[in-house]
Amino acid sequence: MIKLLSTVSGLVVVSVGGLYIYINHYLDKNYPIRPEITSKATRKLLRGAALREHIAPDPQIAYMFMLSALEQIYSDGDLDESSEAVQEIIVRMAHAAAQIGEQKPAKQMLETAWDKVVDSDGRIHGLGDSESWRMQHVCRVADALGPLLMDCGEYKTAIRTYGTALQAARTMQNNDSDDLLLKQANYVTSLGEAFAMDKDYESARTLLSSVLVDIKKREQPKNVVDKWTCLDAVVMLDLAQVERQQGNVEKSQQWAETGLQETKKWKRVGACDNCQAHLLSHLAHLSESQNNVKEALGYYSLAIKHFQDTGTGNMEQMDTASRQLKQRLLESTK
């Protein structure tokens, strides 16, 4: 019995040790710590932050790890705030802060980081030892800052931010690689969404339509899920919303129904499930706005079933809207 327990304990130790080595290897490969950060204590803190950002997500703990790492860096005096390594940590901290609901300080941190690499005329300049790093950093900051600007209604600033990031992505080396083409497509999509929120619907429509053209040009491997999967459906939802805002109900419905069919091609893919929930909600509200009660109830029912099957969408909102519509229908028949 003792021998058996000893053997099992040994296997557990080996298993845990192997997992630890695998995790460290994964972090080193995918989220390397910059070589100019030499302190073992600081590197350990940053590895802990990466673990809490990417493997066992907890943005609050990740933020605390990075804050401690910055304090250690400043205490050691090896790097100042303008160094590339410190600026990258600041952007990561801001992203973590936004995730835990601290949008205002996150936005302030990112705006300060943005001003270090982009001047008031939108020109990329200054900070960093190489143009390549500056272009990458502009994209890093824009990825975190853009959504915060959209959330607080600063659409024109969001347009300038995404526009500069698109310029940076197109300037990078190997800008025709699949990853960079995807990044560019996402920036054009974000620009289209920002123009739509700023009520420049013609610019929004032009940009979003151009993304669809680019997606169709790309040869999507059959039955292979990647980061491009369902981007076309997301763009179709955006176009449906643009058309609805302009009162083009028929075009809005056409875009939404086409997008819905695209999402149904992929089963149990999170991005597609989420997009399908939004498309069903859009179609339900669109039908209700046209007093097409039967069709609206059908879409609400589909949205509720979709939530029950996948856990995506707003179950409570859809259920409430459906019950209220049924009540109005009942009262109108009395």
Side-chain angles (χ1 to χ4, degrees):
M1 186 67 166
I2 293 173
K3 185 177 180 180
L4 178 61
L5 285 172
S6 176
T7 304
V8 172
S9 299
L11 288 173
V12 171
V13 169
V14 170
S15 175
V16 171
L19 179 61
Y20 177 79
I21 292 169
Y22 171 78
I23 289 172
N24 276 305
H25 175 72
Y26 177 84
L27 292 173
D28 284 341
K29 181 182 177 182
N30 295 281
Y31 309 101
I33 299 168
R34 293 184 66 104
E36 59 265 44
I37 299 173
T38 56
S39 163
K40 287 185 179 180
T42 306
R43 293 179 71 84
K44 188 174 181 180
L45 287 166
L46 290 173
R47 180 161 289 164
L51 177 71
R52 287 305 189 171
E53 287 173 297
H54 306 291
I55 296 179
D58 189 321
Q60 188 161 4
I61 295 177
Y63 181 91
M64 294 308 298
F65 271 127
M66 286 184 279
L67 180 61
S68 297
L70 269 188
E71 290 172 347
Q72 186 67 49
I73 288 170
Y74 292 147
S75 174
D76 292 342
D78 296 333
L79 300 168
D80 61 27
E81 189 179 345
S82 295
S83 69
E84 294 177 2
V86 169
Q87 284 299 306
E88 290 175 12
I89 294 170
I90 288 171
V91 173
R92 289 166 60 193
M93 283 180 65
H95 181 63
Q99 287 181 301
I100 58 177
E102 297 292 341
Q103 278 83 5
K104 187 174 180 180
K107 183 169 172 284
Q108 290 172 343
M109 292 166 70
L110 291 165
E111 286 171 338
T112 301
W114 184 260
D115 290 342
K116 289 183 180 295
V117 284
V118 180
D119 67 19
S120 57
D121 294 321
R123 290 189 295 261
I124 300 169
H125 69 97
L127 190 70
D129 295 330
S130 70
E131 181 182 2
S132 175
W133 181 85
R134 282 192 290 275
M135 298 305 165
Q136 291 175 30
H137 195 60
V138 164
C139 294
R140 259 192 298 271
V141 180
D143 290 345
L145 179 58
L148 294 177
L149 292 169
M150 293 288 284
D151 287 345
C152 63
E154 296 183 32
Y155 305 125
K156 284 183 169 55
T157 306
I159 289 168
R160 290 194 294 272
T161 300
Y162 285 128
T164 303
L166 178 60
Q167 172 196 343
R170 285 175 172 168
T171 307
M172 288 182 196
Q173 291 182 347
N174 302 317
N175 62 6
D176 59 347
S177 70
D178 198 57
D179 284 346
L180 273 178
L181 288 174
L182 174 61
K183 185 177 282 291
Q184 291 169 38
N186 281 326
Y187 286 144
V188 176
T189 303
S190 295
L191 271 169
E193 292 168 351
F195 272 114
M197 294 303 294
D198 200 43
K199 301 189 187 305
D200 184 348
Y201 299 119
E202 195 56 44
S203 294
R205 187 184 289 108
T206 300
L207 287 162
L208 294 168
S209 297
S210 74
V211 178
L212 280 183
V213 172
D214 289 340
I215 293 171
K216 287 178 181 177
K217 285 180 182 176
R218 179 179 178 270
E219 292 184 9
Q220 170 72 30
K222 270 196 170 183
N223 302 320
V224 175
V225 176
D226 61 17
K227 292 179 181 179
W228 288 86
T229 303
C230 275
L231 179 58
D232 50 357
V234 171
V235 176
M236 289 173 192
L237 171 61
D238 288 336
L239 283 164
Q241 291 169 336
V242 167
E243 297 298 349
R244 183 184 180 186
Q245 288 295 322
Q246 290 199 286
N248 301 325
V249 175
E250 188 174 340
K251 284 186 177 179
S252 179
Q253 185 162 3
Q254 287 172 353
W255 277 122
E257 287 174 347
T258 305
L260 189 62
Q261 293 309 309
E262 287 298 318
T263 65
K264 289 179 178 179
K265 293 178 182 178
W266 305 93
K267 303 297 183 185
R268 300 298 179 185
V269 176
C272 298
D273 287 343
N274 185 56
C275 189
Q276 188 172 150
H278 285 290
L279 285 161
L280 288 168
S281 174
H282 178 87
L283 285 163
H285 292 311
L286 198 65
S287 298
E288 187 173 353
S289 71
Q290 297 302 298
N291 292 318
N292 193 335
V293 176
K294 185 177 180 181
E295 188 173 79
L297 287 172
Y299 282 124
Y300 282 130
S301 177
L302 286 172
I304 291 168
K305 185 178 185 305
H306 180 70
F307 177 87
Q308 291 168 341
D309 291 342
T310 68
T312 57
N314 191 324
M315 172 75 167
E316 186 177 345
Q317 186 184 71
M318 293 297 98
D319 187 50
T320 299
S322 178
R323 284 190 283 104
Q324 288 176 343
L325 186 57
K326 287 176 181 176
Q327 183 63 32
R328 289 203 301 273
L329 180 63
L330 184 63
E331 289 173 355
S332 67
T333 58
K334 289 181 179 179

